[in-house]
């Protein structure tokens, strides 16, 4: 996905407090597409770099499903 393929208006609002898988995926996709940087995403959404990188790893390893909070423990057990 390139910068032109991911519209900036599809990013969640900076005031987002409830992080569902769809919103996490949008932020990860925007960073991977070069729309925003990791630093900008962390600042915009008040995330730690570690938290964002955990989303990115979960997305890369398990796809959209890996970002569901109800599945995190299952995936973590499989990784250990």
């Amino acid at each position: 996905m390139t910068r032109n393929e991911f519209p900036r208006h599809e990013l969640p609002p900076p005031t987002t407090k409830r992080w569902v898988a769809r919103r996490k995926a949008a932020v990860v996709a925007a960073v991977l597409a070069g729309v925003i940087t990791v630093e900008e995403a962390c600042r915009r959404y008040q995330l730690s770099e570690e938290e964002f990188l955990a989303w990115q790893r979960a997305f890369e390893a398990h796809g959209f499903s890996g970002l569901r909070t109800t599945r995190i423990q299952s995936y973590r057990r499989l990784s250990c």
Side-chain angles (χ1 to χ4, degrees), residues 1-8 30 32-37:
M1 183 176 291
T2 65
R3 180 178 288 211
N4 295 332
E5 294 174 3
F6 191 94
R8 196 173 180 94
L32 294 175
V35 174
I36 60 174
T37 65

Side-chain angles (χ1 to χ4, degrees), residues 8-77:
R8 196 173 180 94
H9 71 271
E10 290 188 18
L11 283 168
T15 57
T16 299
K17 297 292 182 222
R18 188 166 183 269
W19 285 102
V20 295
R22 177 181 46 83
R23 291 180 186 139
K24 292 175 187 178
V27 175
V28 171
V31 170
L32 294 175
V35 174
I36 60 174
T37 65
V38 172
E39 294 79 15
E40 183 180 356
C42 291
R43 186 173 48 254
R44 178 180 170 113
Y45 298 111
Q46 298 178 3
L47 304 170
S48 69
E49 188 171 344
E50 293 166 3
E51 184 173 17
F52 173 80
L53 294 175
W55 292 358
Q56 186 175 1
R57 283 191 303 274
F59 183 75
E60 290 170 351
H62 305 287
F64 183 80
S65 303
L67 296 173
R68 293 190 178 127
T69 56
T70 56
R71 291 288 176 203
I72 290 175
Q73 289 180 345
S74 299
Y75 292 129
R76 284 186 182 154
R77 272 188 243 124

